[in-house]
Amino acid sequence: PGLQNRLGSNCRVHLSCGLHKGWAIEGAVGSEFKIDCSYLSPNVSIATQVERATESYGVSVIVAQSVIEQVSQAMKLKCRLIDKVIIKGSPKPMELHCIDLDYMCLEIDRSERPKVNWNTRQRFKVRQFMEQEKQTLMNEDLSTFFDTDEVVADMRSRFTVEFFQLFNMGFQNYSEGEWQVAARMLSSKTLQNDGPSQALLRFMEVPHQFEPPKGWQGMRELYIQANV
């Protein structure tokens, strides 16, 4: 109630997620009074940069190439290649993919929540149910969830075949250095509200004025502005 009073009844929580795969050393850091679990690895920094890139590209989920290489072909088709970048700490260039979900199209559920007497028994039953649901999802190809879940289907409804065809053609021209052609495609009306398209247009325009730099190889350094 306090948050609703300050932010309004239509306030929504926005979460971003960056997925990367790599090794890390797990250890305890702290003192005899307080100990926290910590992970040490260049991959921790890479994962952080991938997550922060969601703001630059205007998407909620970015999946790094290291994860894409581990998923099924059906799941790969649900992800969209949006850039190829050089990330500080990574030994080689990395493709970035996004999962297209328009969560703003969903209506807020304003139905009254059921009143539950939250005792130890009820909490145990809920944990059991959630564990069963998790195991069911883990035993299936996640790509089927995109086709069967009504909420996910609604969030993906605006991403049409024309949308993906236009972006893919624009991205291909961007990668091959045909930036004038790429700009025309990525600035089309179909893609005007698309975050990755706008991110590529900004990069090509400033400071390059839609002319690829000398020696362009279809990749760029990923600069993430630090949070202040």
Side-chain angles (χ1 to χ4, degrees), residues 20-133:
H20 169 62
K21 174 182 175 293
W23 65 269
I25 299 174
E26 181 182 17
V29 177
S31 67
E32 59 181 308
F33 301 103
K34 187 176 187 297
I35 297 178
D36 291 323
C37 182
S38 180
Y39 297 89
L40 303 177
S41 169
N43 292 300
V44 175
S45 174
I46 294 173
T48 300
Q49 294 178 77
V50 171
E51 187 278 325
R52 289 180 179 173
T54 58
E55 184 175 355
S56 300
Y57 289 96
V59 295
S60 55
V61 181
I62 287 185
V63 186
Q65 182 178 349
S66 55
V67 175
I68 291 293
E69 292 172 349
Q70 305 298 315
V71 302
S72 67
Q73 183 61 33
M75 189 62 220
K76 289 180 183 178
L77 295 176
K78 304 297 183 184
C79 303
R80 173 167 53 127
L81 174 61
I82 58 174
D83 213 345
K84 188 171 184 179
V85 297
I86 300 170
I87 298 180
K88 184 178 181 181
S90 176
K92 58 182 181 180
M94 181 182 299
E95 293 179 351
L96 297 181
H97 301 248
C98 75
I99 299 178
D100 295 300
L101 297 170
D102 180 18
Y103 54 85
M104 294 301 293
C105 74
L106 301 178
E107 294 186 4
I108 298 176
D109 182 6
R110 301 185 184 277
S111 59
E112 185 177 352
R113 297 293 187 268
K115 295 181 180 180
V116 180
N117 182 21
W118 288 109
N119 51 37
T120 304
R121 183 169 177 271
Q122 289 290 348
R123 294 180 188 278
F124 178 72
K125 289 175 64 176
V126 170
R127 283 198 297 269
Q128 277 189 318
F129 173 77
M130 294 179 66
E131 185 65 26
Q132 291 173 355
E133 290 290 298

